[in-house]
Structures are given as C-alpha cells and as structure tokens.
Amino acid sequence: MVERTDASQELDRSSVAALFRELADEFERGSERVSVPVGNKTVTLSPPGEVTTEVEVLERSGMFRGDQERVRIDLRWKPTPSEERQTEEPAEQREH
C-alpha cells in the first residue's frame, strides 16, 4: 500500500526557515515518532536512528522560462516496526 500526502505553497524566506526548524526540532527530539506538517495536515512517521539523506540542487538557465533554481531534500528510511503511519487533520476541520 502506498499513501502519499503532499502540499505545495509559496512561502517567504522566513517561513521556509521556520518550516525547516520545525522539522529539525522533530528529528532532534529523539522520539520514536516524528510529526511532519504537510499543508493543513500533520503526518506522524517512525524514522529509525539512521536516515538516508539526499540533497539535489538544480540551476537552470532558459530563454523562454527564465532562470530557475531548485533545492530538493529527500529523507528516506524504513519505518520502525512498532507503529503505523498516522495522518491528522487540524481540529477545526475534524469538527465540520
């Protein structure tokens, strides 16, 4: 089974930094569970002590679309077997 939760939004630089800090804090806590904000949801995952990371930077020049830059950060792991993935919607959405 494959479950995918994704969201795309435009953020100012300060909000991007806050998002990365929040994610970093979750991993640094050392808890078995990591909560990841995705749009209007929070996905709770179970990473092990070691996580595979990949950072990709793309710089593209184009006459028609203009210059573009992209940073992609990929974190991968096999979840710890103790619990399954959980997705939570904010309380205000569950009430409706």
Side-chain angles (χ1 to χ4, degrees):
M1 178 174 81
V2 175
E3 285 189 52
R4 182 183 196 126
T5 304
D6 59 7
S8 179
Q9 58 186 332
E10 193 160 318
L11 301 172
D12 61 37
R13 290 170 61 152
S14 177
S15 297
V16 171
L19 176 65
F20 284 132
R21 271 189 216 96
E22 183 179 355
L23 189 56
D25 289 346
E26 283 291 317
F27 275 89
E28 196 168 47
R29 274 186 312 138
S31 172
E32 288 184 19
R33 312 285 284 159
V34 171
S35 296
V36 180
V38 183
N40 64 352
K41 294 182 180 181
T42 298
V43 179
T44 303
L45 303 171
S46 303
E50 297 282 322
V51 173
T52 301
T53 63
E54 180 180 334
V55 178
E56 174 187 347
V57 175
L58 177 66
E59 300 171 282
R60 182 178 292 165
S61 297
M63 292 181 77
F64 300 109
R65 294 173 129 184
D67 295 345
Q68 294 182 358
E69 299 173 331
R70 178 177 72 196
V71 176
R72 180 173 289 168
I73 300 171
D74 188 31
L75 308 173
R76 284 187 304 272
W77 62 82
K78 291 186 179 183
T80 54
S82 59
E83 298 190 33
E84 293 182 25
R85 175 179 160 174
Q86 297 175 357
T87 302
E88 299 176 8
E89 293 186 17
E92 63 270 9
Q93 287 191 350
R94 287 192 300 253
E95 295 172 359
H96 294 131

